[in-house]
Amino acid sequence: MKKHVVFFEVEGGTDKGPDGYRPDTLPMLKSLRKRGWTAEVIFYADEKKDEIFERVVQDADAYVSRINPGNLKDESAYFQLLRQLCEFGVKGMPHPDAMIGYGAKDALVKLRDTPLVPEDTFAYYDIASFKKNFPKSLKKGERVLKQNRGSTGEGIWRVQLASDSEEAEEVSLNATLRCTEAKDNHVEEHTLETFMTFCEQYIIGENGMLVDMPFLPRIKEGEIRLLMLHKTPVNVVHKKPAEGEDAFSATLFSGAKYRYDSPEEWGGLVRSFLDSLPVIMERLGGYNLPLIWTADFILDTDEQGHDRYILGEMNCSCVGFTSQLSLSENVADEIISILSEVESMEQLNNR
């Protein structure tokens, strides 16, 4: 091994400290250097893509992506570079297609015939299918619509039926809806027709889609986020929405309260999720698990009255741990462990 790791960042963005770096990037470099490795930050730019490729292929065993795709002018060009690096033997942390698979909201649809996700979870990739099917799913009860883009609850809507005068298999277009956005828990009233027209913006464009899933009332008890380091849960964040009839958002901006727990305090959830990892990996493309990623859960109740945990979303594009920078030591150990395992497998295959 070359014992060298590249960390990709991009200039600008709200996730940077005064020095221009993400606050959790340099600690990882320092932790690797303490272990006898070398590491560097490369700031990605489209016009330097070829130069970056040659340099990383020559010098590095692996890259760690620390770029929020929303800070890129051309996300596809960056992902193309990462794919090329992986094809030429650089270990991707994560592989770009794993980043897409785990980060896209329709990962839930790919897992809906598992205990992790309700069966009546749908994805709409075009406006026609959305307008045809959403009135039918809304007839069954409160729904949550999630756009594929955005962050901090933007474009995530709790949709309640306020009035519907017709007895039919689907909600009428002139029915009144009560719509609450997770960004700040504000409420708007629309007819079904005007709300669906408003939601078209989430479907059009590259990677546009809407996920439609049942609203889970026990979100009021809190969302549970597992912070994962490859295969290992290292932290649990319990995010309780603000008080109020309409409040359901688990974001800090909306007034949610955060509590940090150890994984041992959530043993049942952790064990069941770890047991599910082989299925998750298979359904989301067969790629190795991301290096740093999260899985968010909401409490529900099964038919026997027992607690069960429903997967709300996953993220691995650029998960931060700025509130617990000491995790950089664990990250460095995991990077070295992954690359050592890769080297051992290559040696076995070459015998």
Side-chain angles (χ1 to χ4, degrees):
M1 283 191 291
K2 302 161 188 172
K3 292 191 173 183
H4 184 71
V5 178
V6 165
F7 289 76
F8 284 125
E9 287 221 27
V10 68
E11 292 183 352
T14 58
D15 57 348
K16 305 298 188 300
D19 59 1
Y21 298 96
R22 285 180 52 90
D24 49 15
T25 294
L26 295 185
M28 290 187 282
L29 270 70
K30 293 175 182 176
S31 295
L32 280 168
R33 290 167 182 165
K34 283 168 57 177
R35 289 154 175 77
W37 285 55
T38 56
E40 65 176 317
V41 176
I42 292 180
F43 284 90
Y44 172 80
D46 290 344
E47 61 271 17
K48 296 181 180 179
K49 189 173 68 172
D50 293 340
E51 174 189 335
I52 292 171
F53 172 79
E54 296 295 338
R55 178 174 168 185
V56 175
V57 165
Q58 179 177 335
D59 296 341
D61 299 293
Y63 70 77
V64 178
S65 179
R66 303 304 292 161
I67 295 177
N68 183 337
N71 291 334
L72 292 168
K73 296 178 181 177
D74 184 358
E75 176 183 315
S76 61
Y78 176 60
F79 283 172
Q80 181 186 21
L81 168 66
L82 299 186
R83 288 189 189 94
Q84 290 175 329
L85 290 173
C86 292
E87 290 170 4
F88 276 76
V90 179
K91 180 65 176 176
M93 298 187 183
H95 188 284
D97 293 318
M99 199 184 308
I100 294 170
Y102 283 74
K105 297 295 192 298
D106 66 347
L108 298 176
V109 179
K110 297 172 184 176
L111 296 167
R112 68 181 169 190
D113 62 346
T114 73
L116 292 166
V117 178
E119 290 184 3
D120 59 335
T121 299
F122 311 104
Y124 307 121
Y125 301 96
D126 59 80
I127 294 169
S129 63
F130 170 54
K131 291 192 170 183
K132 177 182 178 181
N133 293 298
F134 182 62
K136 299 175 184 177
S137 70
L138 183 59
K139 194 72 175 182
K140 300 174 184 177
E142 289 184 47
R143 308 294 294 179
V144 173
L145 287 177
K146 300 181 178 185
Q147 69 156 325
N148 195 37
R149 313 179 191 94
S151 60
T152 64
E154 182 182 3
I156 297 178
W157 293 91
R158 174 187 178 183
V159 185
Q160 300 167 271
L161 187 59
S163 71
D164 186 21
S165 58
E166 297 181 13
E167 290 293 331
E169 294 183 355
E170 61 183 60
V171 175
S172 62
L173 293 177
N174 62 359
T176 302
L177 307 183
R178 186 176 175 84
C179 308
T180 309
E181 189 176 21
K183 180 180 179 180
D184 54 9
N185 292 318
H186 83 277
V187 179
E188 302 177 9
E189 285 200 352
H190 299 275
T191 65
L192 174 59
E193 184 173 28
T194 58
F195 183 65
M196 287 195 296
T197 299
F198 169 82
C199 289
E200 291 179 12
Q201 63 181 306
Y202 303 135
I203 299 175
I204 60 176
E206 187 176 2
N207 298 319
M209 75 174 79
L210 271 172
V211 167
D212 169 15
M213 67 186 302
F215 174 74
L216 303 175
R218 294 185 68 183
I219 182 63
K220 295 291 290 183
E221 298 176 41
E223 183 179 79
I224 305 103
R225 168 167 289 183
L226 296 186
L227 174 61
M228 300 289 296
L229 179 55
H230 199 220
K231 303 174 184 177
T232 305
V234 293
N235 200 0
V236 178
V237 186
H238 182 266
K239 305 188 287 184
K240 193 173 188 303
E243 296 297 329
E245 179 183 353
D246 297 307
F248 78 105
S249 173
T251 66
L252 282 172
F253 179 78
S254 68
K257 305 291 186 183
Y258 282 24
R259 187 185 76 223
Y260 296 87
D261 299 335
S262 69
E264 290 74 22
E265 295 176 74
W266 295 86
L269 170 60
V270 167
R271 285 190 296 273
S272 64
F273 184 59
L274 294 182
D275 289 343
S276 301
L277 290 184
V279 173
I280 292 173
M281 292 173 65
E282 176 190 355
R283 299 290 178 86
L284 300 186
Y287 300 99
N288 289 333
L289 292 171
L291 177 65
I292 306 168
W293 57 295
T294 59
D296 294 344
F297 293 87
I298 302 167
L299 267 170
D300 193 21
T301 307
D302 66 18
E303 295 177 354
Q304 289 74 43
H306 301 139
D307 288 346
R308 68 169 182 166
Y309 295 95
I310 299 300
L311 182 65
E313 71 175 295
M314 295 182 288
N315 186 20
C316 72
S317 60
C318 190
V319 174
F321 54 95
T322 56
S323 62
Q324 199 174 357
L325 292 178
S326 61
L327 284 175
S328 66
E329 303 290 331
N330 306 75
V331 174
D333 286 336
E334 193 64 35
I335 291 172
I336 294 171
S337 175
I338 292 170
L339 291 175
S340 297
E341 185 176 339
V342 170
E343 184 183 44
S344 297
M345 290 298 296
E346 289 176 349
Q347 289 174 348
L348 283 174
N349 292 335
N350 291 332
R351 285 181 182 175

